């Protein structure tokens, strides 16, 4: 029997807790602080809590880099650094670099592990975050924010499952054989 080490998605860095505290603070912030958008038509108004989605996405990007760095730590450092530089955008890391390293993309990996809802949500958030960044802030609406908040626990469980699978598949050196 081989028992592989298992990690909670390598959580535990100081920055992780800062991101999580910021997400909670944004969720709890009174929406009255965002009344300056009230004169916009509903279809043109970003969510009062759009910052929550943007914060989450920044957190998500740091975790994806951590996954690549940890899973590929057996490769020469200069090769890994070069690949991360060449694939510096999150889209390229989720699709292209992930396929180079693991033979699939991050979202399909989530689906294979039983997290289709999370995969669909993250693809939607990725698209909406890009739209927000490129001149369409209303792309992050209340439905997007609510979907993220409702699925944060599932997203975290999905992250742990994929992280452990990918780190383990690339590095079985720490396995205990009994």
């Amino acid at each position: 029997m081989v028992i592989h080490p298992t990690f909670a998605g390598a959580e535990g860095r100081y920055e992780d807790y800062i991101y999580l505290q910021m997400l909670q603070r944004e969720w709890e912030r009174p929406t009255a602080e965002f009344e300056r958008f009230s004169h916009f038509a509903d279809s043109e108004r970003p969510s009062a809590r759009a910052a929550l989605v943007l914060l989450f996405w920044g957190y998500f990007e740091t975790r994806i880099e951590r996954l690549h760095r940890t899973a590929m730590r057996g490769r020469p450092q200069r090769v890994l650094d070069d690949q991360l530089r060449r694939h510096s955008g999150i889209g390229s890391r989720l699709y292209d670099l992930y396929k180079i390293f693991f033979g699939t993309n991050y979202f399909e990996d989530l689906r294979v592990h039983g997290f289709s809802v999370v995969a669909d949500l993250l693809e939607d958030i990725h698209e909406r975050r890009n739209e927000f960044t490129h001149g369409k802030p209303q792309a992050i609406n209340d439905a997007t924010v609510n979907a993220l908040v409702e699925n944060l626990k599932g997203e975290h469980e999905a992250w742990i499952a994929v992280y452990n699978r990918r780190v383990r598949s690339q590095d079985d050196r720490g396995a205990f054989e009994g």
Side-chain angles (χ1 to χ4, degrees):
M1 173 190 333
V2 176
I3 300 173
H4 297 279
T6 303
F7 307 97
E11 300 298 326
R13 295 179 330 155
Y14 178 67
E15 305 91 276
D16 295 334
Y17 296 107
I18 297 298
Y19 269 116
L20 292 170
Q21 287 174 1
M22 292 171 72
L23 286 167
Q24 182 175 349
R25 187 174 58 231
E26 278 305 310
W27 178 248
E28 293 171 350
R29 184 186 307 256
T31 56
E33 293 183 25
F34 301 96
E35 290 302 316
R36 60 184 74 130
F37 298 126
S38 63
H39 65 284
F40 287 33
D42 286 347
S43 63
E44 297 300 315
R45 181 179 28 239
S47 172
R49 290 191 164 85
L52 192 136
V53 173
L54 299 173
L55 275 169
F56 167 80
W57 197 255
Y59 177 47
F60 176 76
E61 287 188 23
T62 67
R63 293 187 307 168
I64 293 299
E65 178 164 345
R66 187 178 324 150
L67 172 64
H68 285 304
R69 285 192 180 280
T70 305
M72 296 297 124
R73 69 182 174 265
R75 300 217 174 148
Q77 188 63 46
R78 63 178 169 44
V79 172
L80 177 58
D81 289 343
D82 181 65
Q83 287 298 315
L84 289 169
R85 183 184 49 75
R86 287 175 189 242
H87 301 279
S88 61
I90 187 64
S92 181
R93 287 182 178 186
L94 293 169
Y95 291 99
D96 305 325
L97 186 58
Y98 205 89
K99 186 164 187 141
I100 290 168
F101 286 163
F102 308 119
T104 188
N105 69 60
Y106 184 73
F107 305 112
E108 288 306 313
D109 216 1
L110 289 172
R111 288 181 180 94
V112 165
H113 286 84
F115 295 100
S116 294
V117 170
V118 172
D120 294 344
L121 173 68
L122 291 175
E123 284 181 314
D124 184 57
I125 288 174
H126 182 213
E127 182 178 319
R128 289 173 182 278
R129 194 275 312 191
N130 286 344
E131 289 179 39
F132 182 98
T133 302
H134 297 289
K136 191 177 175 188
Q138 66 273 24
I140 299 178
N141 55 28
D142 288 335
T144 304
V145 172
N146 291 333
L148 173 61
V149 171
E150 290 169 6
N151 288 285
L152 273 174
K153 185 175 187 274
E155 189 280 331
H156 198 72
E157 291 169 356
W159 162 248
I160 292 168
V162 169
Y163 180 91
N164 280 308
R165 168 69 175 101
R166 290 303 169 192
V167 169
R168 183 179 60 225
S169 71
Q170 299 298 317
D171 183 19
D172 283 343
R173 291 175 295 170
F176 170 76
E177 294 189 40

